[in-house]
């Protein structure tokens, strides 16, 4: 077992199998009804033909922010326009922000990174405030902005890991396994919360443009105890929270037993998928660092538990540091 920073790296196949065997036996799948047709094709890379603009309110500064997605000349970058700082998509430039991934001075980059990874979009991203918005429909504004401006760049090369590896973060972990012919990202994600609203839930899916196009609208969740949530939800609903742009439309409030502001479109067979769908948005963001390093997309299986943003930064640093662990990129 290797140790890199706060991450322990394990290649013991037997122990990895034991971890997987201990996972929750009940597995949920995203219903076919919770998908959406989009002009993206699996395995293709995309650019955009011109700059598109998205307006919002910055999450930490609570000020109007203008986001621009622009055609990239080479490797995509993030830019903070107020200072002219430009940051490569490099985990070595990340900071462990408050419940977010911070790239240089720019906060909450996980959402645009997740969008870029899921759809194979290559573009530069700039903004005039140092944090991204918490949109009412999370990543849907990015998807809507680029439609009608897409440029098909052709088949995207793919790569995988050469052998199973497990990254351990205290009680949490991320297991990566080689592609077995699916030529896709297979996800097995599990969470464990008190109570029954979310509880211990395990979700498996094959990430496709159609699946992500639906789940990308899942709101940022706030899971708190009932006493905390009753207080916070009433403050937000009555407009008394002035410091941050938190509303009942852009945050999903959840306690041990209840979703306070559910959206019917995320409910299927009496189960609300929105919480878990936002988890998927978050846990794939770190893969964009790896994909930029390899100029392709990762295919294989990712199994996760308690895999927070700080752990994702550590995973990205490890994954980008050792190129011997990865197969060479191949066109698909």
């Amino acid at each position: 077992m290797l140790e890199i920073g706060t991450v322990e790296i394990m290649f013991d196949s037997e122990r990895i199998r034991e971890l997987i065997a201990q996972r929750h036996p009940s597995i949920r799948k995203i219903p076919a009804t919770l998908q959406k047709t989009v002009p993206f094709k699996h395995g293709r890379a995309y650019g955009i033909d011109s700059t598109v603009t998205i307006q919002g309110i910055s999450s930490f500064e609570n000020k109007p922010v203008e986001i621009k997605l622009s055609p990239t000349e080479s490797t995509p970058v993030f830019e903070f326009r107020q200072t002219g700082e430009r940051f490569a998509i490099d985990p070595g430039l990340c900071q462990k922000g408050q419940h977010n991934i911070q790239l240089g001075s720019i906060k909450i980059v996980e959402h645009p990174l997740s969008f870029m990874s899921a759809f194979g979009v290559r573009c530069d991203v700039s903004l005039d405030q140092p944090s991204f918005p918490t949109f009412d429909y999370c990543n849907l504004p990015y998807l809507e902005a680029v439609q009608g401006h897409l440029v098909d760049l052709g088949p995207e090369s793919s790569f995988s890991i050469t052998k199973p590896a497990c990254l351990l973060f205290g009680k949490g972990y991320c297991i990566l396994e080689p592609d077995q012919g699916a030529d896709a990202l297979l996800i097995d994600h599990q969470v464990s919360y008190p109570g029954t609203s979310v509880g211990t839930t395990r979700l498996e899916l094959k990430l496709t443009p159609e699946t992500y196009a639906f789940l990308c609208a899942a709101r940022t969740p706030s899971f708190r105890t009932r006493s905390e949530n009753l207080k916070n939800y009433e403050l937000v609903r009555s407009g008394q929270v002035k410091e941050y742009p938190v509303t009942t439309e852009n945050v999903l409030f959840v306690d041990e037993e209840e979703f306070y502001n559910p959206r019917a479109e995320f409910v299927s067979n009496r189960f609300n998928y929105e919480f878990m769908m936002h988890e998927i948005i978050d846990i794939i963001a770190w893969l964009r660092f790896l994909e930029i390093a390899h100029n392709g997309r990762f295919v294989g299986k990712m199994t996760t538990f308690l895999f927070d943003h700080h752990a994702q930064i550590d995973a990205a640093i490890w994954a980008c540091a050792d190129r011997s662990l990865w197969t060479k990129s191949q066109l698909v």
Side-chain angles (χ1 to χ4, degrees), residues 83-321:
T83 62
E85 296 171 286
R86 292 167 63 86
F87 303 102
I89 301 176
D90 179 345
L93 301 178
C94 285
Q95 299 180 41
K96 295 178 179 179
Q98 183 181 3
H99 305 298
N100 76 97
I101 297 177
Q102 180 174 336
L103 182 64
S105 58
I106 303 175
K107 305 174 184 70
I108 318 184
V109 299
E110 61 269 16
H111 292 165
L113 284 177
S114 177
F115 163 78
M116 295 164 77
S117 180
F119 291 123
V121 173
R122 302 176 185 179
C123 64
D124 290 337
V125 183
S126 71
L127 68 172
D128 55 5
Q129 291 293 331
S131 67
F132 283 92
T134 302
F135 287 117
D136 289 357
Y137 291 88
C138 197
N139 274 353
L140 188 59
Y142 300 108
L143 174 58
E144 293 177 338
V146 301
Q147 293 194 64
H149 297 275
L150 293 172
V151 177
D152 189 330
L153 301 177
E156 188 169 33
S157 60
S158 65
F159 65 94
S160 192
I161 194 165
T162 57
K163 58 184 177 180
C166 177
L167 291 75
L168 295 166
F169 313 93
K171 295 181 180 179
Y173 56 80
C174 173
I175 299 169
L176 299 176
E177 298 176 82
D179 177 50
Q180 298 296 323
D183 186 39
L185 173 59
L186 307 178
I187 298 172
D188 179 346
H189 182 56
Q190 182 173 315
V191 299
S192 184
Y193 285 86
T196 59
S197 59
V198 178
T200 298
T201 301
R202 181 180 176 187
L203 180 68
E204 284 189 348
L205 69 148
K206 175 181 177 180
L207 194 69
T208 66
E210 293 76 17
T211 298
Y212 191 88
F214 186 94
L215 70 81
C216 76
R219 290 168 290 180
T220 296
S222 172
F223 189 100
R224 297 288 187 273
T225 63
R226 175 162 288 260
S227 59
E228 289 178 294
N229 246 354
L230 286 170
K231 177 182 177 181
N232 292 342
Y233 187 69
E234 185 54 39
L235 288 172
V236 169
R237 188 168 57 175
S238 61
Q240 296 182 59
V241 177
K242 305 296 185 183
E243 185 178 1
Y244 297 108
V246 178
T247 73
T248 58
E249 292 301 313
N250 67 1
V251 172
L252 174 64
F253 289 86
V254 189
D255 70 19
E256 302 96 331
E257 307 301 332
E258 183 180 358
F259 284 67
Y260 283 59
N261 51 336
R263 284 181 174 158
E265 60 263 38
F266 289 99
V267 178
S268 179
N269 293 324
R270 296 183 295 179
F271 182 80
N272 192 324
Y273 283 86
E274 187 172 11
F275 190 102
M276 291 300 293
M277 285 183 167
H278 190 87
E279 288 275 315
I280 301 302
I281 293 173
D282 282 347
I283 65 166
I284 70 167
W286 77 279
L287 290 173
R288 198 57 180 163
F289 293 106
L290 183 57
E291 291 169 343
I292 290 293
H294 287 272
N295 192 30
R297 61 186 178 91
F298 174 76
V299 296
K301 187 171 183 181
M302 181 172 71
T303 301
T304 50
F305 178 61
L306 299 179
F307 189 42
D308 65 20
H309 290 310
H310 291 185
Q312 292 155 25
I313 293 172
D314 290 336
I317 290 172
W318 164 78
C320 291

